[in-house]
Amino acid sequence: MHLMALGMFLFEIGTLAHDEMQRRTDWQFARSQRVGARDATQYTGPGDETISLSGAVYDEIADGRVSLDDLRTMADDGEALPLVGGDGIVYGNFVITAIDERHAFLLADGRARRIDFGIDLLRVDDPAARNIVQAPA
């Protein structure tokens, strides 16, 4: 298990302990066709950076429904939140773009003994950085 925090939400055994993390970073290039040669390219800047967390939560350990609902509320706010790994790595500010869940081993009352989940995050620019005005030199 890898501890991680999105804003004040901790991904841990008591909430949602993820067991996989996938990180993807893209860079953007403009292309211009050329006759008889490969396209000319020009670097235009960073593209999307996404992180996907997945795992399972067990009814005996934590109430995954509550934690998933907490994350849905955070996603509804649309606020960018810092993502920090348990090892101290600051990944940047992210918004929640999707939450998937699958209930398994249902009990007689309909509760799931296990909930498999996936959470997709998209890195966004630091909202505070946009408000910084540089003083003239």
Side-chain angles (χ1 to χ4, degrees), residues 54-113:
S54 61
V57 61
Y58 295 87
D59 187 52
E60 296 87 10
I61 299 172
D63 190 346
R65 293 173 301 166
V66 170
S67 295
L68 288 165
D69 287 344
D70 289 346
L71 285 171
R72 282 190 174 87
T73 299
M74 292 167 60
D76 287 343
D77 292 341
E79 187 177 335
L81 300 166
L83 183 67
V84 181
D87 52 5
I89 294 175
V90 178
Y91 291 95
N93 289 304
F94 285 78
V95 294
I96 301 169
T97 59
I99 298 174
D100 296 316
E101 65 182 86
R102 184 177 68 232
H103 296 234
F105 305 111
L106 301 179
L107 301 171
D109 64 0
R111 286 183 302 125
R113 295 203 59 194

Side-chain angles (χ1 to χ4, degrees), residues 8-84:
M8 297 302 291
F9 185 90
L10 292 177
F11 291 91
E12 61 181 353
I13 290 192
T15 59
L16 297 172
H18 67 287
D19 54 19
E20 288 188 18
M21 176 184 142
Q22 180 178 341
R23 184 178 185 193
R24 178 180 172 91
T25 307
D26 295 330
W27 292 267
Q28 302 295 314
F29 292 84
R31 293 180 175 210
S32 181
Q33 292 183 344
R34 297 189 296 186
V35 176
R38 289 189 178 92
D39 290 351
T41 59
Q42 180 178 2
Y43 177 67
T44 59
D48 288 342
E49 181 174 344
T50 59
I51 290 182
S52 296
L53 304 173
S54 61
V57 61
Y58 295 87
D59 187 52
E60 296 87 10
I61 299 172
D63 190 346
R65 293 173 301 166
V66 170
S67 295
L68 288 165
D69 287 344
D70 289 346
L71 285 171
R72 282 190 174 87
T73 299
M74 292 167 60
D76 287 343
D77 292 341
E79 187 177 335
L81 300 166
L83 183 67
V84 181

Side-chain angles (χ1 to χ4, degrees), residues 133-137:
V133 178
Q134 299 216 356

